[in-house]
């Protein structure tokens, strides 16, 4: 039996792979997900989330601008986690993820940095800042 | 979709959309300075119920300041490239009650070789929706129990 989450995870992987086949590298984002064990959360079937995925070049530019190495950053799971949450906009109750036509002038989006994803245990079981998230649903 | 990146003010947890003339999409937080890059991002991609937008900037809720909280890091950091590559198809560890997901394989042409037999291929061929049943390709229902029987 293939779980629905596993199904969605496959699609997330497929979407990332398709990006890479088009020369759009998002491996840094993947590493962030893996470091924080948030791959599954970002593939949550119930999330209906709008996810902004930075390219490797975007990550590199930010690191350079801040004088930080990738290795240094990946040692700070708490910071990576905040960055990832800041790239996710949870849906409103009963709402759907936003496509580009819905990203209209003046729209203010509350990110998952403070708002939980609707219909999901993520990130209501979010750990304290200095903890490693071992299983996003473990405490739910 | 095209997205610009703006630097963000520490403590902001919202993103504000600016879209002059309904064209370029700019993401930013309140009190931002100005755009720091341009993007060549393609169209939105759906990952089941979620939508993925590729952006050309890393959105930071705060300036990166590792030195303040990292005791072992000393001296000026030297930027290094993002490690390349991390294999995209990865074995997803099984959790309780779940089956592990084998990696998605590609052949010499880059076409997907399916991790779940040919079910995924049939779904892709039969359905315009990524989230339709894996086996019959219908109903936006992911996987019909009846199809499994």
């Amino acid at each position: 039996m293939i779980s629905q989450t596993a199904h969605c995870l496959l699609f997330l992987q497929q979407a990332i792979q398709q990006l890479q086949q088009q020369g759009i590298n998002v491996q840094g984002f993947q590493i962030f997900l893996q470091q924080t064990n948030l791959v599954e959360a970002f593939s949550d079937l119930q999330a209906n989330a709008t996810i902004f995925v930075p390219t490797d070049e975007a990550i590199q530019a930010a690191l350079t601008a801040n004088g930080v190495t990738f290795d240094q950053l990946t040692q700070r799971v708490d910071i990576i986690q905040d960055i990832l949450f800041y790239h996710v906009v949870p849906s409103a109750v009963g709402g759907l993820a936003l496509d580009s036509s819905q990203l209209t002038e003046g729209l203010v989006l509350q990110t998952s940095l403070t708002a939980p994803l609707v219909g999901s245990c993520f990130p209501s079981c979010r750990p304290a800042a200095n903890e490693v998230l071992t299983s996003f649903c473990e405490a739910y | 979709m095209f997205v610009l990146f703006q630097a963000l003010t520490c403590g902001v947890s919202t993103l504000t959309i600016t879209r002059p003339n309904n064209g370029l999409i700019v993401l930013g937080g309140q009190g931002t300075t100005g755009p720091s890059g341009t993007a060549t991002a393609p169209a939105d991609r759906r990952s089941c119920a979620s939508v993925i937008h590729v952006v050309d900037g890393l959105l930071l809720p705060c300036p990166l300041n590792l030195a303040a909280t990292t005791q072992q890091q000393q001296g000026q950091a030297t930027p290094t490239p993002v490690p390349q590559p991390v294999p995209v198809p990865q074995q997803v560890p099984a959790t309780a009650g779940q089956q592990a997901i084998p990696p998605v394989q590609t052949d010499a042409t880059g076409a997907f070789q399916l991790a779940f037999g040919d079910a995924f291929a049939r779904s892709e061929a039969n359905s315009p929706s990524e989230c339709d049943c894996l086996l019959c390709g219908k109903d936006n229902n992911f996987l019909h129990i009846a199809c499994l029987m």
Side-chain angles (χ1 to χ4, degrees):
Chain A
M1 166 75 78
I2 303 166
S3 75
Q4 292 185 336
T5 298
H7 186 170
C8 287
L9 188 56
L10 179 65
F11 284 120
L12 179 65
Q13 291 175 330
Q14 183 186 12
I16 289 174
Q17 188 163 2
Q18 286 173 345
L19 286 172
Q20 292 179 338
Q21 286 172 347
Q22 296 175 13
I24 301 169
N25 295 314
V26 292
Q27 289 170 341
F29 179 78
Q30 274 189 287
I31 292 172
F32 287 170
L33 291 178
Q34 291 161 356
Q35 288 287 106
T36 52
N37 287 323
L38 286 172
V39 175
E40 195 171 348
F42 272 68
S43 310
D44 194 313
L45 177 66
Q46 306 298 325
N48 289 356
T50 306
I51 304 173
F52 297 102
V53 177
T55 62
D56 287 353
E57 292 77 10
I59 293 173
Q60 186 59 59
L63 293 176
T64 301
N66 285 275
V68 174
T69 67
F70 189 82
D71 288 343
Q72 285 175 323
L73 181 58
T74 53
Q75 291 171 17
R76 293 298 306 274
V77 175
D78 56 330
I79 293 178
I80 296 174
Q81 200 168 276
D82 278 350
I83 291 173
L84 288 176
F85 287 151
Y86 199 54
H87 285 74
V88 177
V89 176
S91 68
V93 175
L96 299 174
L98 301 171
D99 61 35
S100 57
S101 68
Q102 296 170 298
L103 297 175
T104 54
E105 172 73 23
L107 186 64
V108 177
L109 305 170
Q110 180 65 55
T111 68
S112 285
L113 197 56
T114 56
L117 286 173
V118 173
S120 166
C121 61
F122 164 76
S124 59
C125 53
R126 184 181 172 187
N130 59 349
E131 288 183 74
V132 176
L133 191 60
T134 53
S135 172
F136 81 102
C137 282
E138 198 170 69
Y140 189 65
Chain B
M1 183 182 88
F2 293 87
V3 179
L4 274 179
F5 167 64
Q6 288 184 311
L8 297 170
T9 301
C10 188
V12 173
S13 62
T14 57
L15 296 172
T16 302
I17 302 297
T18 306
R19 196 169 190 182
N21 301 319
N22 204 32
L24 194 70
I25 298 169
V26 181
L27 296 170
Q30 294 176 347
T32 56
T33 51
S36 60
T38 57
T40 55
D44 312 331
R45 292 157 200 288
R46 285 203 169 266
S47 176
C48 277
S50 295
V51 173
I52 294 172
H53 302 273
V54 179
V55 295
D56 77 328
L58 187 66
L59 303 169
L60 298 174
C62 255
L64 288 174
N65 184 11
L66 303 185
T69 50
T70 305
Q71 297 175 353
Q72 295 178 348
Q73 301 297 329
Q74 299 290 334
Q76 179 66 36
T78 303
T80 53
V82 176
Q84 303 278 344
V86 172
V88 176
Q90 300 227 354
Q91 181 81 19
V92 177
T95 56
Q98 256 190 16
Q99 170 184 330
I101 303 175
V104 179
Q105 303 294 332
T106 56
D107 63 16
T109 66
F112 285 110
Q113 301 297 303
L114 299 174
F116 306 134
D118 69 343
F120 189 78
R122 284 190 282 140
S123 173
E124 286 287 285
N126 294 336
S127 170
S129 167
E130 289 179 335
C131 290
D132 286 344
C133 176
L134 275 173
L135 299 176
C136 72
K138 296 178 182 177
D139 295 343
N140 194 31
N141 199 17
F142 304 103
L143 196 59
H144 293 128
I145 299 300
C147 292
L148 289 172
M149 304 300 284

